[in-house]
Every structure is written in structure tokens, then in C-alpha cells.
Amino acid sequence: MSKIPRLSVRHLTKRFAALVANDDISLDVMPGELHCLLGENGAGKSTLSSCLYGLYQPDAGEIRVDGKTVQLRSPGEAIRAGIGMVHQHFVLVPGFTVVENVAVGTGSGWRLGRAEALSRIEAICSTYGISLNPHQFVGDLSVGEQQWVEIVKALYTGARLLILDEPTAVLTPEESRRLFAIVRRLTGEDLSIVLISHKMAEVMQSDQVSVLRKGRLVGTVVTSQVSRDQLTTMMVGRSVAAPTRAGDAKAHGETVLSVRGLTQLRDRRPVLDNASLDIAAGEIVGIAGVSGNGQDELFECLAGLAHPDGGKILLDGETLQAYSPATIAAKGVGYVPSDRFRDGLVADLDIGENLVLGQQWQARWRKGPFIDAAALDANARTAISAYSIAATGPSAPSRKLSGGNAQKVILAREFAKATRLLLCNQPTRGLDIGAIEFVHRQLLRKRDEGCAILLASEELDDLFALSRRIGVMFRGRILAVLDTKKATYDEIGSLMAGHRSEAAA
Amino acid sequence: MTDFNLVEWRFERRLDPRPAARIVALAVAAAAAALVCSLLFIAAGASPRAAFAALLQGSFGSLRAAGETLVKATPLIFTGLAACVAFRARIWNIGAEGQVFAGAMFAYWLQHNLTGFPPFVQIPVVIAGGIVGGALYAGLAGVLKTRFSVDEVISTVMLNYIIVYVLSLLLLRGPWSEAGGFFEQTPKVDPDSALPLLFSGSRLHFGFLLAIVTAGLVQMLLTRTPLGYEIKAAGSNIRALEVQGTNTRRLILVVLLVSGALAGLAGITEVYGVHYRLKAGAITGYGYSGIIVAILGQLHPVGVVVASVLFGALLNGATLMQIKTSVPSALIYAIQAILLLFFLAGWAACNFRLRRVARA
Ligand SMILES: Nc1ncnc2c1ncn2[C@@H]1O[C@H](COP(=O)(O)OP(=O)(O)OP(=O)(O)O)[C@@H](O)[C@H]1O
Ligand SMILES: [Mg+2]
């Protein structure tokens, strides 16, 4: 029996000036199939999905939906062709409520009327077990919740083909499991799904995988017939070791960061509740926790972006909380924020400029009153090769970087800046496995140089591989700080869910 | 041979508008604006040909006319640059109007106490007075914004109103009023404080040179200095700038100070280069026109100079146009607005392209 593919891509090519982001790609997705796109950062996955969603016009090639050739000039046309998409970077309007975002953004518009839109959204939420308050402003939602809004929005259009570009990058493991349950229900209803993910565990759940490398299709394989290692080898061109427990630093020194009873209130409810923590020089302390349990607030207090309502932060014995981000940064503190495009990068500056963001007055980037373009250029070239950032060069505009490459620019800058303390909130989010391995090595190098590191990650693998101790956050509290050697995944998992364990040290 | 049934034209969004596309768009916008202006001239009962000829003759027809055009362009260059610096950082300084007043008033306050001193004392004091006066007045909006979170659009507009009345008060029965005069104006200033003329036979004065040099400096500031870097970053994502350790409150204040200083210079070129006395009529309107000039000039210093000269030419040529044809000179303001609209449309159009593709 030969079914007609839901989606056929034939010889699709997309160029950005000299760069060939998609080079002669052909693939098929059958009805009810979960099809993964796998590839390193900058391999061209988002570009391909943008072509499928009418955001970019391919330079050559053909797209067929249910056997019919389609011309997708705009997302509106893609939606009418039955294609829905959740973007890697959200395209929601923060000042609109959930309903408004869903109804407005999908082109089906206000004609439907607010009440009907609302009831359809509620129907979708209850069918798939998504909990969202439709009247909340999107700006007030956590990144994970915004992801659900995007998903509801795509379902709302009645898509038969759904493209999910790294949807789980910002979801907690629990939320990701829920998403996969929904995905499986959808494929059961004969919907086709194209999923982009860097997480091998998720990729392995798909029906087929297409592997991209440097814009070319390496091949499409049936997932059940390949192993994880084979896929990574296809993707990177070499085999990559899974993260393993790294040896401890030879010695760790005096306490660098000391947090005492940190409390922060929002609407009179504590978002940080009496949190205490110490980090010594040459030590990595991990923070585990479901996102939205105070991690972002903790990091923002430490970086000087928010002022705690109670408690103390000491850096090398000196009180920190009266300082501005500028002063804190000047003390050798690097900060990798969790929302990279909001807090970490200036899209209109090029890579070279972004690499000195916040340091633009420093003598080493200046020549008299002027910015030393040559120094910026040299610095950028070093970073681009050291972090293998896929870009045309130092003057490539940051807004055109792929998600993972944008993160690498931030890492390069902050790792260079941090001499005393490095604050990393979700540093490996959205990175490919090769890049994650690289970040791990860099974090260990910083540690061995004597830097104190606070590392929050939703990937317990990251934390177990790198940290000496792991603190677990729940509802703004640090429930326990465990010695990694003695801790187990289960123990941490149950603390993350708020069950206090006896082993708390 | 092309089978026309199989191809169609379609509009697509351009990712990177090419410079050539911009030039074409500019030309088309200019042609369209000229067309609409012609219709206006016809409606006013004049032949478009004659009207345009008079405009051109009045603005560039002689050395004297050209000089006058540049005199008119001078304050616009300063206020245009003021808007350019602030708007690039997405700080909406609508207060150039008030800052022009503040610059002129502060300079006058300093200078009229120095009457009798030689030019090399008075002229630098006048220029410094313009800079400081404009900067301080814009700084007030800056403090309101950074200390008390008052939106700069509202505060700068309010401050525009306030200073007009303050000047009126000072001139009407206040200490600056002309003894025995009927008009709201100061007496003539000491000739030794006036900005020197560049040529004989034209009113073109030193202020124009100052404007051109300033445009060059602003260009350098924006593209090559750390402050320019911060302005660019603030215009794109000021939060990231703050997170990564830049004091953005100070930046906002500094940008407003610089913007205000530029506007303040427009005040002194009019008072000390053209009218030789301080009166509201000498300095009114340049702040708002500067915003239009800055937008027409694409928030680029060179563009600001070009747009200012264009506006100066229109203002200057209008008089001759009114004399030679029956077109009222006030129509010039309509022409300015038409230019703005067409150019904005042209630039928006740059982001699209027409492409021929095979029909599905
Ligand atoms: N609008 C654009 N203009 C120029 N180059 C672009 C543009 N968009 C993407 N690119 C480049 O195309 C390449 C592919 O980018 P793409 O975003 O598709 O990567 P990706 O596979 O999604 O990576 P990631 O996993 O990091 O999200 C990158 O080198 C990127 O810099
Ligand atoms: Mg991507």
C-alpha cells in the first residue's frame, strides 16, 4: 500500500548570500508520522522549517502537501495549507493575553469572535490536558508556559502538519513528557509532526530521523533501526561520548560566594525563600529544580538585576546586593542568562560587538576615544574558532545566528569575563551534543582555573557530570544541598517535587 | 519564449534590502512627491513648471539665494542631529523645540553680561551657552525619566510649553525686555558677539560651518565610540545592555544631554547668526522640523544634512514662488509633509521585492 506523503520536500535549496543553509534537501513525512530533524547548531534545521512555514522562500525546489505542490509565500498561506509551527524563538506578543495571542496570531482572526476563540482554546486545553489561564498576559508567563501557548496556537489553526522547532528546550522534563504524550495522541489522529530536538532521548522516540549536516541531508533513517551512537556519528561526523562524571578539582579554595537567607517577594509571595548556599573557588555547585521554582530570581539577585528583600550575598566576603550589574560584572562575575535573546545578546550588534557587550569602555577594546575595531575583530576571530561558532565572520549580525550559535557567543563572552564567579543559568539549552560536550569541558577548565561556578540546568546529566554538590530548589527554597557522589537521580527527583528527604545535608 | 500563463508576479519580503533598491525607492518617492506637488500647484492656480522653476531659482538661483538656503538649513541640521542621536537609542526626545529655546536663552543670559568684551571671548561663551543650556534642559527630562520613571515623550513636550512661557515672561515685562519697545524681544546684541559671516554678499554665517563639523563629529560618535556602541545597543535591546553590566540610566541621561546640546546650538545660530536678538519668532518650529528632517535622513548624520538643505531650499524658495506665481508660500509645509509620507512609503517598500515565479 502506498500512501501519499503528508509532506514531500524535493530538492529544496535556500541560500543566504554566499551561505547555503539548505542544500538540495529531499524528504517525505507520512500521515501520522513523527519525523525528527537532527543536526548540529547551524546545520539548517530552523531554516528548513521556516521554508516550510512560508517565512523564507526557497531559492529552488518544491514543497508538496498531500501530493499537491504548494507555494508558501507567507505563514498565512502555510496555515491555509494545513501547516502549523512552533518557533524556536517565541513570536508572542507580551502585552496580549493568551486568547488574544492565539486568535490574532493565527490569521483566523477576530471574525470568530472572542467568545468562540475562548471556548475553542479551552476545548484544546482540556482535550490535551494543558493547563493555561487564557486571560493571563503572555508577558507574565514563564518560558515553559509560553511554549504551551505556542503549541495551543498551532493546534488552534487545525494544522495537519505540525513543525515543532526545539519545543522541549525550555520545558522541564515533566512538561516534555506531557508534550510527548500529546504528540503521540496527535500522530494517532493522523497528524504529521516534524520535530527538531537536540535531546537524543527524544529523537529516539520518533518514527524517522533526517540528519542534516552543514545544510545537506546526510540521510533519512528509520529510528528503530539505528542506535543513538550511529545517529550522533551521522550528525557530527565523529562519535561523541555521553557526559560522564568528571573528576573533582584537585583542590578547592576559600569560599567565593556566600548566600545567606536570601528572600525576595513578589505580590507578597516569596519567590525566593530564605535560600542559603556557599560556593568555593574551584567548585561547581549545581542547581536542580523544575523551572519556575526561583532559579531565575536567584540568578538575577546574584547578577544585580533584582534586589532581594532579605538576606545577604557575599562575594569574597564583601556584601554584594547594593551593587548594580555593572559593578558586579567588574568584580569578575560572568552571567549566562537563561533567556539568551532577551538578556544576553543585542540582535543589531554583530558578533564582534556582542562579544564585548558591557565592556565597551574598557581600555583593551579602545584606542583613545574610539572603539578599537581591530581588537574587536581579532577577539571575535579567536572566539569563533575556539567555540566553533557557525557564522560568516566577526561582522555577521547576531540576529541571523542559529539558536545554538547565539548561545555560544554568550558563553564565549561570559567565560572570558568570569574570573571569580561564573553564573550559568541553563547554559546548554538548545545546544547540540557536540557543543554540550564542549561546554562541559570549558566549565571544567574554568573550575580548574579556580573560578567558582553556579550552574542551573534542567538536565540532571549535566549536573551529575559536573558539579561537586547539587542544590535542589523548590518554591523558592533551596531544600537541600547534596554531595553529588552520594546523591542519586531518584533522591534529587523527589526533592524537585518538593518531598524533603532525610539525606539532606 | 515565455508562456505568460505559467508565470506570475509576487511580492516577497526582502531579507536584506540592497543599496540599489534604496536608491530606486528614493527616486520613485521623489517623483511621486513631485507629481502630487504639481497637482497642488495646479489647484492653487499656477503652472507646476513655473512654480518649480521659481522654487529652484529662489533657493539656488544665485550665490545669495544658495547662501540663504544654507542659513535656513543650519538650525535644522542641529535639531535633526539632536533627534538622530536620541531616536537611534530609542529615546523619544520630542523636546528639541524647548531645548532650542533653552540654548538660546542660556547663551543670551551669559553673553549679555559680557557686552563689550572682544569677539574671541563672547563667541565661545555664546556657543558654550547654547550647548549647556540645551543639555541642561534635556537633562531635566533625563532626570525625570531615570529617577522618577516619567515617560520622556510626555516630559519633553511639557517642557516645550513651559519654556515658551518663561521666555515670554522674561521679554514682556521682565529683565530682558527692550527698553521702550513694543515687541516681545531683547535689544540687539553686541555686534562683537555675533557669529561671523562667511562671505560678503550673503548672510551665510559661521554657524553653518559649525553644523557641518558637528554632523561629522556626530557621525564619528555614533559609529566609532563606546557611546555610539551603547546607543546602537540601546536602540536594539537595552535590557541586554543593562544585564551585561552597562549603567543604562546613565546612558539615557547622557544621550539626552548630547541630544539637548545639539538642539541648543540651533538656538544660538538663529539668535547670534541671523536675528541678532532673542525673540520667540526667531527660534520657533525648528525642534519639530528637526524630527521630520531626522526621519527623512534615515537617522543618519549625512542624511540629516541633505534633508536639512532640502527643507532649507523649500523654505527659502517659497518666497520667490509666491512672488512669481500665485502659490502661497505656506504651501511649503504641505510639500514637506508630502515628502515625508512618500519617503516613508518608499523605504517601507524597499523591504519587499517583486519576483517572477512559475505558477503553481
Ligand atoms: N536570515 C538569515 N540570514 C543569513 N544567514 C542566516 C539566516 N538565518 C540563518 N542563517 C544561517 O544559516 C545557517 C543555518 O541556520 P539555522 O537557524 O537553520 O540552524 P539550526 O540548524 O536551526 O541551528 P540551531 O540548532 O542552533 O537552532 C546558520 O549558519 C545561520 O547563521
Ligand atoms: Mg534552530
Side-chain angles (χ1 to χ4, degrees), chain A residues 3 35 40 44 64 81 162 232 284 293 328 360 422 428 448 452:
Chain A
K3 277 202 286 182
H35 194 110
E40 290 182 282
R64 271 178 250 157
L162 202 56
T232 36
I284 300 180
N293 274 286
I328 291 176
Q360 60 274 15
L422 180 57
T428 58
D448 293 339

Side-chain angles (χ1 to χ4, degrees), chain A residues 258-433:
Chain A
S258 178
V259 178
R260 288 281 158 271
L262 207 61
T263 300
Q264 198 192 3
L265 304 174
R266 187 174 300 150
D267 302 330
R268 270 183 260 126
R269 272 187 27 238
V271 281
L272 272 179
D273 189 357
N274 203 10
S276 298
L277 189 73
D278 284 305
I279 311 178
E283 183 187 38
I284 300 180
V285 172
I287 293 288
V290 175
S291 79
N293 274 286
Q295 295 95 322
D296 287 355
E297 286 80 4
L298 175 64
F299 278 88
E300 284 182 1
C301 284
L302 294 178
L305 293 166
H307 290 284
D309 295 301
K312 257 207 180 104
I313 304 170
L314 299 168
L315 180 69
D316 289 324
E318 201 186 337
T319 310
L320 212 59
Q321 65 255 42
Y323 289 134
S324 65
T327 332
I328 291 176
K331 290 184 184 300
V333 178
Y335 172 44
V336 179
S338 66
D339 190 336
R340 65 181 76 123
F341 281 99
R342 189 187 63 166
D343 294 347
L345 278 184
V346 177
D348 282 349
L349 297 182
D350 64 28
I351 297 183
E353 290 171 325
N354 262 306
L355 282 167
V356 300
L357 186 62
Q359 305 158 31
Q360 60 274 15
W361 289 99
Q362 288 182 11
R364 61 187 166 139
W365 307 128
R366 268 192 303 138
K367 220 189 203 150
F370 297 121
I371 286 202
D372 185 351
L376 252 61
D377 192 77
N379 177 54
R381 281 179 199 286
T382 319
I384 286 172
S385 72
Y387 286 75
S388 41
I389 297 167
T392 42
S395 54
S398 311
R399 66 166 70 257
K400 292 179 181 170
L401 289 174
S402 78
N405 283 302
Q407 178 74 338
K408 288 181 185 174
V409 172
I410 298 174
L411 293 174
R413 178 184 66 219
E414 297 308 315
F415 279 30
K417 181 164 92 186
T419 50
R420 291 304 289 155
L421 174 66
L422 180 57
L423 305 167
C424 289
N425 196 359
Q426 313 294 345
T428 58
R429 190 179 264 177
L431 293 190
D432 66 53
I433 6 180

